[in-house]
Amino acid sequence: MLAIGLMSGTSRDGIDAALIETDGEGQAQAVEFHAMPYDDGFRFRLAEACRRAMAMQSPGFEPLVASVEAELTELHVQAVADLLGRSGHIAEDVGVIGFHGHTVAHRPEWGWTWQIGDGAGLAGAFGIPVVADLRSADVAAGGQGAPLMPVYHRALAEGLAKPTVVLNLGGVANITFIGSDGTLIAFDTGMASGLIDNWMQMQVNADYDAGGACAAAGQVDEERLAAMMADPWFDLPPPKSIDREQFSINAVQGLNLEDGAATLTAFTAAAVARAIDHLPERPTAIHVGGGGRHNGTLMAMLTGRTGVAVMSVDELGWDGDALEAQGFAYMAVRRLKGLPISFPGTTGAPTPMTGGVLFRP
């Protein structure tokens, strides 16, 4: 089945749209990928919507969030149209769309998670069934609702030497561990590029630290790093997840541009190293996807602080930019077939669960 996956991630930089051919089980073949960046105005409105949502006691009506949701849905319609145009396919060729939407607040400790995006509207725009709201059922059952990518990582990693880890570096970082006996464990490790991006935006109005060049020119403040790593969240056993807003750049205020970037980059790497300590076996390799893999300084720090071989998933022939969008396409097909997308070892759900709400056109 041809399936489209859509992801607007915690980096808030745009929409990733992927078209794959998959049976939702062992078969998954990339067909086309399209990345559509957000403009600066929308990124600002989206960040503010997230801030307001995080201040709420539960999901509900909030004028800016509602306005951003409508705008977000229209942008996703545009992304799907662009993807279809690039692929040479028409809407009638596609069996389902996996629509993650955008997480404006993630509060599993309060029993809810909130992804905005109009699944019914997207289904109506193309006449294609849409699977959306993929996290809420897991959280309602007592799970973390994240990460959801492990089921797709497992399919892709079938031929890799085990134990191994797939690490996603978006705004937040998460890992999938596949043990030598097939054990599947996954959890958020901490921040990835989120704080680094915030620091660069505040200090020099740059979207991100390109290639990690700024961090490479700085010195890590190990005392401040130790204070950040003393947060008790890092010692919690998996599965666990966090919201992008759980940590802030306050810990590095007062440092110069380069040292602040270096310390926040080391914070990401140190958190991954701490996460590795939670695993039942040390992995033979860490395969990295997401935008953070383009940060050479971060990749080097990951190697240094974990003591494990670190490499981009692109070296495996995977598309590290498309991985999450592909995963939501894969999960949408699993939802149609009644197959689980989350598991006790990946989200803490009580049983393997088929999540997502199906919207038919």
Side-chain angles (χ1 to χ4, degrees):
M1 177 187 293
L2 281 174
I4 290 173
L6 302 169
M7 180 59 180
S8 176
T10 51
S11 57
R12 301 175 188 151
D13 55 357
I15 298 166
D16 291 336
L19 179 67
I20 67 171
E21 178 79 37
T22 182
D23 62 359
E25 299 181 64
Q27 180 213 4
Q29 179 66 44
V31 176
E32 187 58 78
F33 174 68
H34 172 53
M36 191 180 84
Y38 293 141
D39 63 42
D40 290 345
F42 182 71
R43 290 183 67 183
F44 177 83
R45 292 190 293 279
L46 181 58
E48 178 61 19
C50 293
R51 188 190 68 79
R52 295 190 187 186
M54 280 293 289
M56 297 171 67
Q57 295 300 307
S58 63
F61 178 76
E62 200 289 327
L64 178 65
V65 175
S67 173
V68 167
E69 180 174 42
E71 194 173 359
L72 180 89
T73 304
E74 284 302 313
L75 289 169
H76 277 77
V77 169
Q78 180 182 333
V80 171
D82 290 347
L83 178 70
L84 289 172
R86 287 168 177 264
S87 72
H89 285 282
I90 59 175
E92 287 79 4
D93 296 336
V94 179
V96 69
I97 297 173
F99 179 28
H100 176 266
H102 191 94
T103 300
V104 290
H106 184 63
R107 293 289 199 184
E109 71 278 15
W110 292 355
W112 57 268
T113 184
W114 189 3
Q115 286 74 46
I116 60 171
D118 181 0
L122 187 62
F126 293 99
I128 302 172
V130 169
V131 174
D133 195 14
L134 290 119
R135 303 185 188 273
S136 293
D138 185 276
V139 172
Q144 292 288 309
L148 294 180
M149 284 297 117
V151 68
Y152 185 56
H153 292 161
R154 182 179 64 184
L156 292 180
E158 179 64 29
L160 298 184
K162 312 293 191 307
T164 195
V165 157
V166 180
L167 172 66
N168 177 60
L169 295 176
V172 169
N174 53 71
I175 63 170
T176 299
F177 168 81
I178 307 169
S180 55
D181 62 354
T183 296
L184 193 64
I185 298 173
F187 55 100
D188 288 349
T189 66
M191 299 306 296
S193 300
L195 293 187
I196 304 167
D197 293 350
N198 289 355
W199 178 253
M200 298 301 294
Q201 289 157 12
M202 177 171 288
Q203 295 294 311
V204 291
N205 198 31
D207 289 337
Y208 56 93
D209 182 10
C214 190
Q219 295 291 320
V220 176
D221 188 319
E222 294 289 349
E223 184 175 342
R224 294 194 191 213
L225 175 59
M228 296 166 80
M229 290 302 302
D231 189 297
W233 185 85
F234 293 107
D235 291 325
L236 294 175
K240 57 184 177 178
S241 62
I242 59 168
D243 188 271
R244 189 189 194 277
E245 309 302 326
Q246 186 156 335
F247 296 99
S248 77
I249 59 174
N250 291 339
V252 296
Q253 295 289 6
L255 296 180
N256 64 35
L257 172 66
E258 293 80 6
D259 291 354
T263 302
L264 291 171
T265 303
F267 182 45
T268 295
V272 173
R274 183 75 62 85
I276 296 296
D277 292 339
H278 285 300
L279 300 176
E281 302 174 272
R282 282 195 80 73
T284 57
I286 299 174
H287 304 283
V288 186
R293 77 191 193 288
H294 298 302
N295 184 323
T297 304
L298 175 54
M299 294 290 276
M301 286 187 179
L302 285 167
T303 300
R305 291 185 181 265
T306 65
V308 178
V310 175
M311 62 198 73
S312 168
V313 296
D314 301 85
E315 296 182 38
L316 300 172
W318 307 355
D319 185 336
D321 293 320
L323 214 56
E324 282 197 286
Q326 291 172 352
F328 284 110
Y330 179 84
M331 282 182 265
V333 174
R334 290 182 69 84
R335 168 64 176 79
L336 293 182
K337 298 176 78 169
L339 298 172
I341 65 171
S342 62
F343 306 85
T346 62
T347 66
T351 60
M353 295 194 64
T354 299
V357 177
L358 178 62
F359 296 92
R360 296 193 180 275

